[in-house]
Amino acid sequence: MHNAEIRAAIPSDAAGIHLLLDVYAIDDQLLPRSTEEIVENIRDFYVVSDSRSILGCCSLKIYTAELAEIRSLAVSSEAIGHGYGKVLLEKCEEDAERLMIKSIFALTYIPDFFTKSGFKIVDKGTLPHKIWKDCFNCPKFPDCGETAVKKSF
Ligand SMILES: CC(C)(COP(=O)(O)OP(=O)(O)OC[C@H]1O[C@@H](n2cnc3c(N)ncnc32)[C@H](O)[C@@H]1OP(=O)(O)O)[C@@H](O)C(=O)NCCC(=O)NCCS
């Protein structure tokens, strides 16, 4: 993949991030996120981009001084398998460490991807109540089949 760069997202990336997430939201692999919501939270995001489009994205949502979530991790079908997913995850991890956040977690259908990067599978019940806000609005709640994974620094 030529000329692809990984960088902190800027507001004008929001529409491209929205399109990328929508591809995977259609079959429920990811939660859909509106462009407005993405713009408002753009500082949470890293992207992989080339001159034409957003090829990948990942965000770190902070919940408490000690805990944050890896959200909206996606790599476009044409860019899959080039290591971008892993690098995006690492960028968010670096941010968490810089912010002295002790643990990051994800709710995922592909726990193996995360365990390869040092995450451990945990009981969802060990995650604090406030993280379930999105889940309460989801039609699949409470039996979505997602696995909780967590990494502590
Ligand atoms: C998951 C996803 C981000 C991976 O992106 P990617 O750029 O292809 O991943 P990478 O090339 O960085 O892969 C890193 C490692 O994870 C492995 N991996 C990739 N996808 C995987 C999957 N679905 N399940 C298990 N392992 C996976 C790779 O084989 C690679 O392993 P290696 O280091 O031993 O070679 C991408 O497939 C995607 O966008 N999927 C749909 C959305 C989704 O499910 N997001 C996760 C939500 S929590």
Side-chain angles (χ1 to χ4, degrees):
M1 212 42 60
H2 297 300
N3 303 323
E5 62 164 344
I6 179 155
R7 57 176 173 76
I10 57 174
S12 59
D13 295 325
I17 294 172
H18 166 73
L19 285 176
L20 176 59
L21 295 177
D22 246 19
V23 170
Y24 294 113
I26 285 166
D27 58 1
D28 288 337
Q29 292 184 62
L30 291 176
L31 277 180
R33 299 185 71 179
S34 69
T35 303
E36 292 73 20
E37 186 200 349
I38 295 165
V39 170
E40 286 169 12
N41 297 287
I42 198 72
R43 281 180 289 192
D44 291 349
F45 280 85
Y46 282 90
V47 291
V48 174
S49 69
D50 66 9
S51 54
R52 293 172 302 126
S53 59
I54 301 296
L55 301 172
C57 64
C58 188
S59 73
L60 181 78
K61 179 178 169 60
I62 297 172
Y63 281 99
T64 69
E66 305 196 336
L67 185 70
E69 179 182 12
I70 299 291
R71 294 183 79 177
S72 302
L73 170 61
V75 172
S76 70
S77 57
E78 80 246 38
I80 257 170
H82 290 272
Y84 295 138
K86 188 174 180 178
V87 175
L88 284 161
L89 181 57
E90 284 169 359
K91 281 286 187 190
C92 289
E93 285 184 26
E94 283 168 22
D95 247 11
E97 287 197 74
R98 179 178 64 80
L99 296 165
M100 301 182 71
I101 287 167
K102 291 192 182 130
S103 302
I104 53 177
F105 73 93
L107 293 164
T108 183
Y109 292 112
I110 50 167
D112 290 355
F113 173 84
F114 288 91
T115 56
K116 279 186 173 172
S117 285
F119 284 72
K120 304 264 186 270
I121 292 173
V122 296
D123 185 333
K124 281 186 200 172
T126 63
L127 299 173
H129 191 256
K130 68 189 294 189
I131 73 139
W132 301 113
K133 194 166 132 281
D134 283 340
C135 299
F136 293 143
N137 297 321
C138 176
K140 288 185 181 175
F141 183 79
D143 295 316
C144 67
E146 285 186 323
T147 298
V149 292
K150 191 171 174 185
K151 183 171 182 175
S152 297
F153 304 108

